[in-house]
Amino acid sequence: MAHTPAGAKMTELIIETFRLNGALISAGDQLVGDLDLTSARWQVLGALSERARPVAEIARRMGLARQSVQRIANCLVDDGFLETSENPAHRRAKLYRLTALGEKVMAEVGMRQADWVNRVAENIEVQQLETALSLLRQLNQRLG
Amino acid sequence: MAHTPAGAKMTELIIETFRLNGALISAGDQLVGDLDLTSARWQVLGALSERARPVAEIARRMGLARQSVQRIANCLVDDGFLETSENPAHRRAKLYRLTALGEKVMAEVGMRQADWVNRVAENIEVQQLETALSLLRQLNQRLG
DNA sequence: ATCACATTGACAGTGTGCTGTCAATGTGGG
DNA sequence: CCCACATTGACAGCACACTGTCAATGTGAT
């Protein structure tokens, strides 16, 4: 059993994805470290920037396990970035939303992220980004 | 400060990369779980399939911290997949190589991986894979 | 209305990554 | 030759993902 041409390229792509994931998490940690955030905390806050949601919904949205998000969310409440409110649709599944501090920090983070990502994307063809994005989405569907 | 067109697409690509990384690790774990392996252990064994190397070299190759690989390698020795030999170039930096069991398991894993990845890559244009691969490599360089 | 089932939060435990520190071991400049 | 520096393995501790279990809480079918 050997690789097809597409299988061989796909294998290279997978290895490069592992590397990129590590590099991105590392970059994110550096970008927000001084705000008492990490890549993981930032992602949870980001999922709540539009509106309040229960933890399980965030987890589904991010493709993570419910309990992984739960622990981070509890931590973010302790640290004053999030607060909970009653969920009319489910007494146990409290809604999490940004506090004033959370809003303030996310505004700052948003500016830093835009600044950073614009620099990273500089001189890269939008067409090439779209091709790659479309492929990654297709792979996620195929593996999901 | 807002996103440039490329910056916006790049942000989407980053989120999709996080998802894909999770899905790939999960798929890898399922592929080799019954062999007492995980994605991480498999990757370390894979780095030793050509020839014996010291732990620190594997870490650099994989873009991971030295100590992360060290712990896994120690575990793989305990489990009989790896063995160490003296390194003529450095007394402390022992060389790690596959045992007979390690070779046997990696042969099986190689067949499973080829089978799996060929199926995943089926009906995907090699050209599209190459575009994405080239972009991911460029990003890794830019972030490294 | 009731009862089986799904969902949720809390808790406990594991695997994989990181960091920092220490002692032992190369390496190279003086 | 010797000493400063880099590299390495062991150890300890932390962050983030996973899983499984339990009790509490919706949901839907009968």
Side-chain angles (χ1 to χ4, degrees), chain A residues 53-55 74 84-87 90-96:
Chain A
R53 302 172 194 275
V55 157
N74 290 342
T84 60
S85 57
E86 295 304 314
N87 184 348
H90 196 309
R91 194 186 308 178
R92 294 206 73 184
K94 290 174 291 189
L95 292 174
Y96 289 75

Side-chain angles (χ1 to χ4, degrees), chain B residues 41-61:
Chain B
R41 292 176 187 218
W42 168 16
Q43 281 182 272
V44 171
L45 291 185
L48 295 172
S49 56
E50 318 153 9
R51 58 180 187 77
R53 301 173 196 276
V55 157
E57 186 181 325
I58 305 174
R60 282 189 299 264
R61 207 178 152 81

Side-chain angles (χ1 to χ4, degrees), chain A residues 43-135:
Chain A
Q43 281 181 272
V44 171
L45 291 184
L48 296 171
S49 57
E50 317 153 9
R51 57 180 186 77
R53 302 172 194 275
V55 157
E57 186 181 326
I58 305 173
R60 283 189 297 264
R61 207 177 151 80
M62 293 172 60
L64 298 182
R66 178 172 56 95
Q67 296 298 65
S68 308
V69 177
Q70 184 73 55
R71 193 180 46 77
I72 307 247
N74 290 342
C75 205
L76 289 168
V77 170
D78 291 345
D79 291 353
F81 296 116
L82 292 183
E83 62 193 355
T84 60
S85 57
E86 295 304 314
N87 184 348
H90 196 309
R91 194 186 308 178
R92 294 206 73 184
K94 290 174 291 189
L95 292 174
Y96 289 75
R97 69 158 178 269
L98 297 179
T99 60
L101 173 61
E103 296 277 7
K104 184 171 154 244
V105 166
M106 280 305 287
E108 169 64 21
V109 167
M111 284 191 293
R112 293 189 191 185
Q113 192 274 347
D115 206 33
W116 174 85
V117 82
N118 286 346
R119 242 180 315 114
V120 170
E122 212 165 12
N123 299 324
I124 295 185
E125 294 290 336
V126 175
Q127 181 54 51
Q128 196 184 8
L129 288 168
E130 274 171 354
T131 300
L133 179 56
S134 151
L135 175 61

Side-chain angles (χ1 to χ4, degrees), chain A residues 19 61 113 122 142, chain B residues 3 19 61 113 122 142:
Chain A
R19 279 182 188 278
R61 207 177 151 80
Q113 192 274 347
E122 212 165 12
R142 226 173 253 218
Chain B
H3 284 154
R19 278 182 187 278
R61 207 178 152 81
Q113 192 272 350
E122 212 165 13
R142 226 172 254 217

Side-chain angles (χ1 to χ4, degrees), chain A residues 4-67:
Chain A
T4 60
K9 274 278 171 263
M10 181 66 76
T11 301
E12 292 185 69
L13 185 66
I14 288 170
I15 292 170
E16 212 61 25
T17 299
F18 289 149
R19 279 182 188 278
L20 183 57
N21 183 72
L24 288 172
I25 287 176
S26 174
D29 285 346
Q30 290 191 3
L31 200 64
V32 299
D34 63 310
L35 301 170
D36 201 20
L37 289 183
T38 61
S39 289
R41 291 176 187 218
W42 168 15
Q43 281 181 272
V44 171
L45 291 184
L48 296 171
S49 57
E50 317 153 9
R51 57 180 186 77
R53 302 172 194 275
V55 157
E57 186 181 326
I58 305 173
R60 283 189 297 264
R61 207 177 151 80
M62 293 172 60
L64 298 182
R66 178 172 56 95
Q67 296 298 65

Side-chain angles (χ1 to χ4, degrees), chain B residues 27-72:
Chain B
D29 285 347
Q30 290 191 3
L31 200 63
V32 300
D34 63 309
L35 300 172
D36 201 20
L37 288 183
T38 62
S39 288
R41 292 176 187 218
W42 168 16
Q43 281 182 272
V44 171
L45 291 185
L48 295 172
S49 56
E50 318 153 9
R51 58 180 187 77
R53 301 173 196 276
V55 157
E57 186 181 325
I58 305 174
R60 282 189 299 264
R61 207 178 152 81
M62 293 173 60
L64 298 182
R66 178 172 57 93
Q67 296 298 65
S68 309
V69 176
Q70 183 73 56
R71 194 177 46 74
I72 307 247

